[in-house]
Amino acid sequence: MQRRQFIMLGLAAGATLATGLTLYPMFSEADKTQQQQNASLVLDALLPAILLGALPKTEAEQQQALQSTRQAVLDYLPFLPKRQQAELQQLFFLLSQQLTRLALTGHLLALGELSLEQRLQLLSSWRDSYLTLLQQAYNGLRELLLAAYYGQPAHWQALAYTAPEFRAYE
C-alpha cells in the first residue's frame, strides 16, 4: 500500500466514522425531550428571520410573539401526518448537530449564534437552491411558522381578518 492510499483510506474512514456517529441518534429512537430541545433550538433561531417584517415594534412584544409562535408550532407538531412529523424531526436534529449543520448551512456556528443577516442569507440560499430537499425544507418551515404566527387571534388584526360567526341552531 502506498503512502497516498494509506492517507486517503484513513481520511475516508475518519469521515465515515464521524458521519456515522453524528447520524446514529437520528436512526435510533430519540426521546421526546431531546426532540423538543432540537425543535426549540431551530425554531428560536429561524423564527426572527422568517417573521422579520411581521413582528411587533417593541422588544418585549417581539419576544412574546416569538415565544407564543414557538409554542404553537410545538403544540401543532403532533397533529401533522406521521411522515411530515418524521421529516421535521430529522431536519431539527440535523440542524442541531455540528457536522450536519455544516453540510446544510455552511456554518460551524449554531443557528442561534448566526447574525440575523446570515440567517436571512441561509434561508434565501435554501429557497433558491438547486437541491429540491433544501427548497422543501425552506418551504415547509416557512409555511409552518407563518401558519403558527398568523393562526393566533392576536395577529389577525394585522391581516384585517375577522373570524366567521356561525348561526346557532335552535
Side-chain angles (χ1 to χ4, degrees), residues 49 105 107 114-128 138:
T105 67
H107 296 283
L114 296 175
S115 69
L116 187 59
E117 183 63 33
Q118 288 174 317
R119 292 179 219 173
L120 289 170
Q121 287 175 352
L122 168 69
L123 290 170
S124 140
S125 72
W126 283 6
R127 182 190 62 217
D128 300 332
Y138 169 78

Side-chain angles (χ1 to χ4, degrees), residues 10-156:
L11 288 174
T16 302
L17 183 61
T19 304
L21 289 177
T22 301
L23 296 178
Y24 172 73
M26 183 172 67
F27 297 111
S28 67
E29 189 62 35
D31 61 344
K32 294 292 182 189
T33 58
Q34 184 62 39
Q35 289 178 350
Q36 194 161 17
Q37 287 175 351
N38 292 341
S40 294
L41 178 76
V42 172
L43 292 173
D44 287 342
L46 295 181
L47 271 170
I50 290 181
L51 298 176
L52 184 62
L55 291 173
K57 301 296 181 210
T58 65
E59 183 68 28
E61 290 176 347
Q62 284 181 2
Q63 291 306 316
Q64 177 61 29
L66 290 172
Q67 288 175 358
S68 64
T69 304
R70 179 189 64 194
Q71 193 57 47
V73 170
L74 294 175
D75 291 344
Y76 183 69
L77 283 177
F79 297 102
L80 289 172
K82 295 291 184 194
R83 180 175 177 216
Q84 288 178 340
Q85 286 181 36
E87 289 174 352
L88 281 170
Q89 292 301 337
Q90 285 179 351
L91 179 64
F92 294 150
F93 173 76
L94 292 173
L95 288 173
S96 67
Q97 300 297 312
Q98 189 173 19
L99 186 62
T100 52
R101 183 178 54 242
L102 175 64
L104 288 174
T105 67
H107 296 283
L108 275 174
L109 297 174
L111 289 176
E113 296 174 6
L114 296 175
S115 69
L116 187 59
E117 183 63 33
Q118 288 174 317
R119 292 179 219 173
L120 289 170
Q121 287 175 352
L122 168 69
L123 290 170
S124 140
S125 72
W126 283 6
R127 182 190 62 217
D128 300 332
S129 176
Y130 65 90
L131 295 174
T132 307
L133 186 63
L134 291 178
Q135 291 176 4
Q136 183 180 10
Y138 169 78
N139 288 323
L141 277 175
R142 182 176 176 270
E143 288 176 11
L144 178 67
L145 299 181
L146 289 175
Y149 181 75
Y150 286 114
Q152 300 173 44
H155 303 122
W156 291 351

Side-chain angles (χ1 to χ4, degrees), residues 1-16:
M1 179 180 279
Q2 294 178 353
R3 181 175 171 216
R4 180 177 289 177
Q5 289 175 330
F6 179 74
I7 291 172
M8 294 303 286
L9 180 64
L11 288 174
T16 302

